[in-house]
Amino acid sequence: MMSKYGIEATNQAFSGIQRAIIKSLIAVQKLVTHDKRSFELYGYDFLFDTKMKAWLLEVNGGPSMSANTD
């Protein structure tokens, strides 16, 4: 991304991703189970428009960790 759009646009895109992740977690914080002995992994899917704005498509509660899936 940096080589094509530059460091400023790339940093703005990643700031947009961070804001979306934080806002989504705040929105559901009362529904998330808190356990000191474990952690939850979420998968976030984003799409970038022509202005490099990040759009949140979906959040997966059980993302696949393999390189290939069925």
Side-chain angles (χ1 to χ4, degrees):
M1 288 175 68
M2 283 192 288
S3 64
K4 186 170 183 176
Y5 298 102
I7 192 164
E8 186 176 332
T10 302
N11 286 341
Q12 287 178 352
F14 279 93
S15 291
I17 290 172
Q18 291 172 346
R19 282 191 302 276
I21 290 172
I22 291 168
K23 287 179 180 181
S24 70
L25 291 172
I26 289 171
V28 297
Q29 68 182 347
K30 293 181 181 179
L31 303 174
V32 176
T33 304
H34 297 89
D35 187 345
K36 293 180 181 180
R37 297 165 292 187
S38 66
F39 64 94
E40 188 77 25
L41 182 65
Y42 299 100
Y44 282 77
D45 294 335
F46 286 90
L47 177 73
F48 294 99
D49 65 16
T50 56
K51 295 180 181 179
M52 292 300 295
K53 180 178 178 182
W55 292 89
L56 178 60
L57 296 178
E58 68 175 345
V59 181
N60 299 304
S64 173
M65 297 301 293
S66 64
N68 297 320
T69 58
D70 293 338

